[in-house]
């Protein structure tokens, strides 16, 4: 599916025209960041960058779109002509896709002309907010399952086609092993998996006949759904008959449970299977699973081999959006990139001014200790001690002098509208998530009530924020 | 964006091939229904039918897709050839788009061959679940605002592109007046609206200059965002200066509030505007609104003219999916369409057998009283008294003999794969929702703790279910 630049909020276009007509188009710097981790969790997985870069490269308005805009009686001909030739030519700095991110820190910094940087806001947020939400959910589910086999089965409950396709992409990044979404499999080279529906079982004269028929057609991919009529009464017994027939041919089977108490049933089923010599028969479960339920089942010692997760994985469940925003940090005043900030009556909505870099400090064992946000003209290097200031509270600060290494998190990804490297394979990004999560202490990965990872600001950034707040107060008093 | 038939769960394709190879392809009847109203509400708005019919008409596999499927080592050449020529040729019965629906009743009944009816499941559920969720959310928000002006601003927080586009469509159906999503505006002929971002205000040397610049470019669409620096300190005062200048030119303006206590601030701002003679200046509010917050603000008497609603409207907020399912109700056994049912250890997951119609009974004033599900071969007509049986509880039932009219809810929408009428305008569907909701007592529309609308089954349907349950018990004992 091709991206249309018209997939934007109208106000981006009206603001663009305003800047265009007033000839107000200085170089600017925008930050994309979010204010809290989703799912009351301790971390967020940054995802969507690959799609973002792809869209930015091809971001343009065709004649049909221009004709539609003309019908709105809002836009002047010279601006519509300008749009027809519009291309994004800014620079993009971003964390690597699959990085672990925390509240308040820019995941992306866009540097470019005001018009182009503003225009891309809605699309950038749509892409990064959703995919980061789902990659984070997937990582939580993968962690709760103790790095088990997660099958993403969400298409039917996803929010539209792309709600499904992008979710499959992001879920794989976050740790899912496979998807049921065949189109996503094709587009992103994700393994595709599936079992059978209750309707398969009901489409045959008997449950046993439906199982045997399936085994005959799919001897190497035979997972039987055993809860259509009576799980322990008929389902498992018919599966055992079929499983023994297949075992005789050297083909192991699996069973799937989609209802009932999964802890109780999986244990009953495991022992029936083992009693019948079907130790290699796997148990897959599904039915409105999320990370809390999986965590509980794993703690219970339920003998489950694979987890089919749908709704919660592809929509976020009770938390359906990441609260990412896109805020102006600096603009060229003719001399310098002058820092700007939004000052809110709500301290949490007050933004951090300037062009910023994030530095992740690791201990000597390679575990992440804390992040420091600093201005891009500061030189934060290892081997020195650094002061960490709380981004909001006046008095909270600490000094870090015993640490192993420092990593600047934002890397240049596009220069003048062109990507600086080839698109990454999704499996590479998935591996990065896994390896990054290994460098995060388990207290931050706790499913419920995790430890809060510290994100601080440098002394210089703190002072800049204070100075701008003071200046604004004086201005309002005038 | 063109729909690809590959946007399906893999198991639909593997089951299809199974039926194809076993030559098991009788005529069947599938029902799509959901098990509970979203948002703990009292009703659901059925939406997505227009898109569903459009997709079904064009549902096909192209050669590139077939080549991909071939790489999975699951499909035989004769089946892939079959797919290449596949078209949906079934019949579709559905409620009119914009109907009010309740748990347990089929919104859609598909009658066709097993293979084609099974294949469309994932797509059908993806389309109808999401759009019905969002149309329901929109109707709740519209109701909470006392039929106010709802502006859908959700693109940046939506779940992918289509999560945004389909949400804009469904939100308009449910009662939104406009969208910020320009592409959705073009695709569906929805009015598009927008104001300005904080970055506009920050892109000028002063707040006042930014307001004046905007008013100059958009004298007829001038809504000023007043909370960038200090809402009551500078924002409203600079808006008043600009508002008076525009008033002198005969152009009313508006202000928008995006943070703070919207009840307190809107009242303060209204009285400042009125004191300055700007009675015609409107107040728009936004900031993570949902129906509960809007209901509270309206109860408080907050003087708000328009509501910008984003995240909650386009994702459902804390409830991100409708739990719609697609279940086999009957299959041709060579003599008759034999009723089938899924029997679950969980009574709520046990389905209703057979091919069903829903009848809505209205009182003499035209208000909906109760719905009756019956088999398609029953003749449910007005002028007689009817027994209503609870779908699950054994003993609960009542007789309805004083009522005004009866309406069969499922209407034939497609015959042999072809639509029976032209696509409807979205505004027609929106009007239908509004008029349907007027025929629903306000107790069912209560935002919190609504009255539960009764959905019952006919005596014949009840007896059929009992008979099949008994037969299954006997079968399992054998």
């Amino acid at each position: 599916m091709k991206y249309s630049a018209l997939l934007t909020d109208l106000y981006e276009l009206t603001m663009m025209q305003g800047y265009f007509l007033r000839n107000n188009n200085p170089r600017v710097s925008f930050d994309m960041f979010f204010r809290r981790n989703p799912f009351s969790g301790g971390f967020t997985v940054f995802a969507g960058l690959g799609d973002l870069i792809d869209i930015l490269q091809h971001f343009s308005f065709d004649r049909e779109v221009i004709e539609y805009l003309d019908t709105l009686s809002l836009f002047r001909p010279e601006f519509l002509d300008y749009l027809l030739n519009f291309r994004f030519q800014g620079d993009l700095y971003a964390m690597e896709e699959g990085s672990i991110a925390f509240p308040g820190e820019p995941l992306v910094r866009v540097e470019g002309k005001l018009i182009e940087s503003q225009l891309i806001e809605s699309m950038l947020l749509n892409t990064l907010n959703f995919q980061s939400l789902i990659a984070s959910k997937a990582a939580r589910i993968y962690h709760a399952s103790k790095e088990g086999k997660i099958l993403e089965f969400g298409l039917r409950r996803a929010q539209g086609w792309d709600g499904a396709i992008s979710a499959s992409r992001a879920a794989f990044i976050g740790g899912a092993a496979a998807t049921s979404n065949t189109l996503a499999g094709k587009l992103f080279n994700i393994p595709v998996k599936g079992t059978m529906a209750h309707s398969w079982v009901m489409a045959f004269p008997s449950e046993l006949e439906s199982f045997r028929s399936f085994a005959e057609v799919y001897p190497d991919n035979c997972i039987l759904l055993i809860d259509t009529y009576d799980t322990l009464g008929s389902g498992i017994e018919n599966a055992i008959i079929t499983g023994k027939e297949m075992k005789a041919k050297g083909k192991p089977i699996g069973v799937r449970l989609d209802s009932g108490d999964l802890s109780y049933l999986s244990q009953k089923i495991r022992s029936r299977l083992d009693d019948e010599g079907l130790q290699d028969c796997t148990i897959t479960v599904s039915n409105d699973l999320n990370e809390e339920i999986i965590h509980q089942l794993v703690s219970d010692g339920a003998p489950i081999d694979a987890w089919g997760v749908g709704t919660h994985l592809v929509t976020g469940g009770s938390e359906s959006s990441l609260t990412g925003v896109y805020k102006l940090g600096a603009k060229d005043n003719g001399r310098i990139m002058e820092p700007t900030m939004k000052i809110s009556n709500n301290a949490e909505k007050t933004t951090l001014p300037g062009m910023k870099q994030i530095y992740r400090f690791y201990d000597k064992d390679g575990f992440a200790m804390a992040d420091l946000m600093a201005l891009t003209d500061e030189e934060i290097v290892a081997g020195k001690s650094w002061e960490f200031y709380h981004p909001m509270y006046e008095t909270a600060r600490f000094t870090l002098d015993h640490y192993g290494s420092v990593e600047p998190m934002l890397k240049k990804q596009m220069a003048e509208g062109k990507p600086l490297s080839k698109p990454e394979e999704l499996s590479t990004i998935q591996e990065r998530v896994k390896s990054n999560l290994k460098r995060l202490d388990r207290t931050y990965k706790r499913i419920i009530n995790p430890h809060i990872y510290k994100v601080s600001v440098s002394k210089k950034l703190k002072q800049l924020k204070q100075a701008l707040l003071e200046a604004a107060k004086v201005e309002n008093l005038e």
Side-chain angles (χ1 to χ4, degrees), chain A:
Chain A
M1 296 186 220
K2 194 175 149 281
Y3 186 83
S4 165
L6 196 62
L7 184 52
T8 185
D9 288 311
L10 180 69
Y11 83 171
E12 313 286 10
L13 294 168
T14 51
M15 287 192 285
M16 270 181 88
Q17 173 172 264
Y19 298 140
F20 175 84
L21 295 174
R22 309 265 322 176
N23 205 11
N24 181 4
N25 195 23
R27 191 168 175 83
V28 294
S29 170
F30 272 92
D31 297 318
M32 185 269 176
F33 61 94
F34 59 90
R35 296 197 174 99
R36 56 184 182 75
N37 287 315
F39 317 117
S40 308
F43 66 91
T44 295
V45 175
F46 172 53
L49 180 65
D51 281 351
L52 174 67
I53 291 173
D54 185 52
I55 295 168
L56 283 176
Q57 266 183 278
H58 302 106
F59 202 84
S60 63
F61 295 86
D62 62 25
R63 203 163 285 280
E64 190 191 326
V65 160
I66 299 296
E67 281 164 17
Y68 166 72
L69 290 175
D70 197 26
T71 65
L72 298 178
S73 305
L74 280 170
F75 300 105
R76 305 200 189 162
E78 62 269 34
F79 177 66
L80 293 177
D81 282 346
Y82 168 81
L83 280 189
L84 200 52
N85 297 306
F86 176 86
R87 293 291 179 281
F88 176 74
Q89 293 176 305
D91 299 337
L92 181 77
Y93 297 80
M95 292 189 184
E96 291 181 308
E97 186 159 13
S99 294
I100 306 304
F102 301 98
E105 48 191 37
L107 311 183
V108 168
R109 188 173 79 242
V110 175
E111 290 183 28
K113 294 288 196 174
L114 175 57
I115 290 180
E116 64 189 351
S117 308
Q118 181 70 61
L119 174 63
I120 64 172
E121 177 185 28
S122 311
M123 173 279 293
L124 179 148
L125 289 174
N126 177 272
T127 305
L128 301 182
N129 275 338
F130 180 51
Q131 293 200 35
S132 299
L133 179 84
I134 300 306
S136 305
K137 190 73 171 178
R140 286 169 60 79
I141 289 171
Y142 179 66
H143 180 70
S145 74
K146 297 218 188 259
E147 312 191 349
K149 187 172 177 185
I150 308 298
L151 310 172
E152 178 267 300
F153 283 172
L155 170 56
R156 65 192 55 201
R157 299 285 173 82
Q159 302 207 340
W161 311 345
D162 187 52
I165 296 167
S166 293
S168 297
R169 182 184 190 277
F172 184 74
I173 287 175
T179 179
S180 66
N181 182 337
T182 322
L183 182 56
K186 174 175 184 286
L187 289 172
F188 306 123
N189 198 21
I190 302 173
V192 287
K193 294 279 178 210
T195 64
M196 63 172 61
H198 296 113
S199 55
W200 173 275
V201 181
M202 294 156 73
F204 288 83
S206 76
E207 191 176 48
L208 181 58
E209 198 171 328
S210 81
F211 288 177
R212 282 176 165 153
S213 296
F214 198 83
E216 190 184 318
V217 185
Y218 301 105
D220 298 311
N221 295 277
C222 182
I223 296 181
L224 305 171
L225 180 60
I226 61 175
D227 70 340
T228 302
Y229 302 115
D230 185 350
T231 306
L232 297 178
S234 69
I236 181 61
E237 300 308 323
N238 286 324
I240 286 169
I241 295 169
T242 311
K244 285 178 167 177
E245 290 165 3
M246 294 305 288
K247 197 177 174 71
K249 297 177 190 166
K251 304 282 185 186
I253 66 153
V255 297
R256 176 161 77 100
L257 269 171
D258 188 42
S259 59
D261 188 289
L262 299 177
S263 181
Y264 171 81
L265 290 172
S266 62
Q267 301 195 40
K268 283 282 174 194
I269 284 162
R270 183 74 271 158
S271 60
R272 274 299 291 131
L273 291 168
D274 292 351
D275 287 351
E276 299 288 343
L278 296 172
Q279 283 81 1
D280 54 4
C281 176
T282 59
I283 300 177
T284 299
V285 300
S286 52
N287 190 19
D288 221 19
L289 297 176
N290 61 24
E291 63 270 44
E292 288 88 2
I293 295 171
I294 292 173
H295 178 72
Q296 183 65 55
L297 287 165
V298 169
S299 307
D300 281 3
I304 293 166
D305 301 288
W307 311 83
V309 193
T311 313
H312 292 272
L313 178 50
V314 300
T315 68
S318 62
E319 200 157 325
S320 56
S321 64
L322 182 74
T323 55
V325 295
Y326 185 75
K327 296 291 176 187
L328 187 64
K331 67 168 191 275
D332 189 345
N333 66 6
R335 292 177 296 110
I336 55 159
M337 289 294 281
E338 185 182 2
T340 64
M341 69 193 286
K342 172 182 180 300
I343 298 168
S344 172
N345 300 89
N346 176 346
E348 295 202 352
K349 281 199 160 189
T350 296
T351 62
L352 284 170
M355 293 159 67
K356 296 168 290 288
Q357 174 61 283
I358 303 147
Y359 297 90
R360 183 154 299 165
F361 285 68
Y362 296 95
D363 69 15
K364 304 227 176 345
D365 297 323
F367 279 88
M369 300 174 76
D371 286 6
L372 183 66
M373 283 191 275
L375 294 163
T376 49
D377 59 7
E378 294 186 78
E379 225 186 321
I380 308 290
V381 290
K384 295 170 69 172
S385 82
W386 294 100
E387 283 185 306
F388 284 60
Y389 288 78
H390 193 283
M392 282 182 293
Y393 302 146
E394 285 296 324
T395 52
R397 67 164 161 166
F398 62 93
T399 303
L400 203 63
D401 37 23
H402 296 290
Y403 57 89
S405 61
V406 182
E407 183 189 9
M409 297 296 289
L410 295 174
K411 283 151 196 172
K412 195 164 186 174
Q413 306 280 357
M414 294 181 90
E416 297 180 2
K418 300 269 178 298
L420 295 176
S421 51
K422 288 210 155 75
E424 293 189 298
E425 282 293 319
L426 241 49
S427 54
T428 307
I429 305 171
Q430 189 191 57
E431 281 310 311
R432 183 177 298 132
V433 173
K434 290 180 182 177
S435 108
N436 283 331
L437 284 172
K438 286 211 177 78
R439 303 180 74 183
L440 195 64
D441 188 77
R442 64 187 175 80
T443 59
Y444 301 116
K445 292 181 283 195
R446 203 181 288 135
I447 297 299
I448 293 164
N449 198 28
H451 190 180
I452 294 167
Y453 186 86
K454 282 199 172 63
V455 176
S456 305
V457 298
S458 69
K459 186 168 187 175
K460 198 168 166 187
L461 178 51
K462 180 85 175 180
Q463 286 170 340
L464 174 64
K465 181 183 170 186
Q466 297 293 1
L468 288 183
L469 279 172
E470 286 303 320
K473 271 187 208 154
V474 171
E475 209 171 280
N476 286 334
L477 289 173
E478 283 171 355

